[in-house]
Amino acid sequence: MEDGVFRKDRYKVMSDLRIGIDIGGTNLKGVVIDGNRVITRQKRETRDGTATWREEVRILFDALRDELPGKARSVGLSAPGIAGAQNDSISFMPGRLQGLENFNWSELLDFPTYVINDAHAALWAEAQWGVGRDIDNIVMITLGTGVGGGLLINGQLIQGFLQRAGHLGHMALDTSIEDPDITGITGSLEDAIGESTIKRRSSARFATTYELVKSYEAGDTWATYVWLTSVRKLALGIASLCNTISPELVILAGGITKAGVALLDPLHSFLDIYEWRPGGQSTPIKIAQYQDYAGAIGAALYSGQL
């Protein structure tokens, strides 16, 4: 690591065993990687209570370690929030996963554990092994309970000042909305399409994005309005990022991408309107290859660099 960035081309092939764990709001995912392949995947549900989900991480770690055909060299852990300067903990995570901030995972697991933001980890997995392989300039947007992201510029994963680079869900898109998101930004991309705001956006008609999309596909007028409003704002966010960063590829990840064509068809239609396309060239958009396990895979790959 140099000045908060990682070279994409330095660690294309791993030659030993590494464990990766991803902490989500509802599930924990874990992998073991060996060389350039995943040899073990496991998932556990999280339960309420700080001590409980920490214990679930330890149980998952023990289960993964028991399946190792040898000794692990390192452990990577991905989680929402801003990683510390030494990537040994999450330093800031406002409003969610109480007890995550500054928690010492190496001490709990009794193993050197390197910590990275979950969206950064997902981008690293896609840049190394997935749909972004051999591409040096990538924007990733993760669409789930919240909205996150990551930036790969000239082959480098950018963490930036205070390690907060790539929190793309917290760009402001709508100045008419006064409710702040977890960072204090109002009218954010996360507010526009994240699962965490679906009840408010739909006037409590829908509890999940899945329910909203199903009603949209069935032709429900209110669902169509709510969903297309959200997708339009996503398109505006992507077009803005293309103007400011000029990526070769935009990768979409997270549970909301399971909407498939219900997401991609209107998204492309809106981008036909809003994206600046010099010489007629549009920016490709791809769905992440690894999806649920991208954070765990990226964390495992990342741990090999320290």
Side-chain angles (χ1 to χ4, degrees):
M1 180 174 68
E2 298 176 3
D3 299 325
V5 299
F6 294 95
R7 290 296 312 172
K8 176 185 176 184
D9 54 0
R10 288 178 60 194
Y11 297 93
K12 285 191 175 179
V13 177
M14 306 293 295
S15 59
D16 46 14
L17 296 163
R18 302 191 186 277
I19 293 173
I21 295 173
D22 177 55
I23 298 176
T26 56
N27 290 291
L28 305 173
K29 278 86 71 176
V31 299
V32 175
I33 64 173
D34 181 15
N36 59 0
R37 65 195 180 100
V38 176
I39 62 173
T40 299
R41 300 176 188 233
Q42 291 196 29
K43 180 185 290 188
R44 293 185 65 86
E45 290 186 2
T46 56
R47 292 173 289 175
D48 293 338
T50 300
T52 300
W53 63 258
R54 285 179 182 169
E55 180 63 14
E56 293 293 335
V57 172
R58 190 193 62 77
I59 292 170
L60 177 59
F61 170 74
D62 289 343
L64 292 167
R65 188 168 54 179
D66 287 345
E67 294 196 25
L68 291 175
K71 183 177 180 180
R73 289 291 302 276
S74 61
V75 176
L77 184 143
S78 74
I82 298 176
Q86 302 304 314
N87 288 96
D88 55 1
S89 65
I90 293 295
S91 293
F92 301 100
M93 181 59 241
R96 298 175 191 162
L97 291 175
Q98 296 300 312
L100 180 65
E101 293 183 344
N102 299 311
F103 184 74
N104 189 324
W105 291 101
S106 295
E107 184 175 297
L108 176 72
L109 303 180
D110 193 25
F111 205 100
T113 303
Y114 305 102
V115 181
I116 186 171
N117 170 267
D118 52 358
H120 290 181
L123 172 56
W124 194 248
E126 295 297 331
Q128 295 294 297
W129 289 1
V131 297
R133 189 171 184 177
D134 299 323
I135 298 175
D136 285 338
N137 296 283
I138 302 172
V139 165
M140 170 177 271
I141 302 174
T142 57
L143 304 169
T145 302
V147 175
L151 304 172
L152 191 82
I153 306 296
N154 295 328
Q156 297 178 339
L157 176 61
I158 306 301
Q159 295 189 106
F161 178 58
L162 301 179
Q163 308 276 76
R164 69 182 171 193
H167 277 75
L168 306 179
H170 305 296
M171 68 171 78
L173 293 175
D174 189 343
T175 60
S176 69
I177 295 176
E178 295 297 332
D179 294 333
D181 70 10
I182 61 172
T183 70
I185 289 290
T186 59
S188 67
L189 178 58
E190 178 171 286
D191 181 271
I193 199 167
E195 182 91 5
S196 61
T197 63
I198 186 66
K199 288 184 179 179
R200 179 176 58 76
R201 285 187 284 123
S202 67
S203 299
R205 281 272 312 273
F206 304 103
T208 66
T209 301
Y210 176 81
E211 293 175 6
L212 172 65
V213 171
K214 285 299 180 184
S215 293
Y216 160 72
E217 291 175 328
D220 180 88
T221 300
W222 179 242
T224 298
Y225 171 75
V226 173
W227 178 240
L228 293 184
T229 297
S230 297
V231 176
R232 174 178 174 269
K233 290 180 179 180
L234 175 61
L236 286 166
I238 290 172
S240 298
L241 290 166
C242 289
N243 289 343
T244 55
I245 297 169
S246 194
E248 300 167 75
L249 173 66
V250 174
I251 300 175
L252 301 180
I256 292 175
T257 64
K258 293 177 182 178
V261 295
L263 170 65
L264 292 177
D265 283 357
L267 178 62
H268 284 299
S269 294
F270 284 124
L271 284 170
D272 287 342
I273 299 169
Y274 299 125
E275 185 186 1
W276 180 24
R277 295 172 174 171
Q281 295 189 69
S282 61
T283 304
I285 296 176
K286 293 184 179 180
I287 300 299
Q289 177 177 334
Y290 290 104
Q291 291 295 339
D292 286 352
Y293 284 88
I297 292 169
L301 289 168
Y302 163 83
S303 72
Q305 301 169 64
L306 299 178

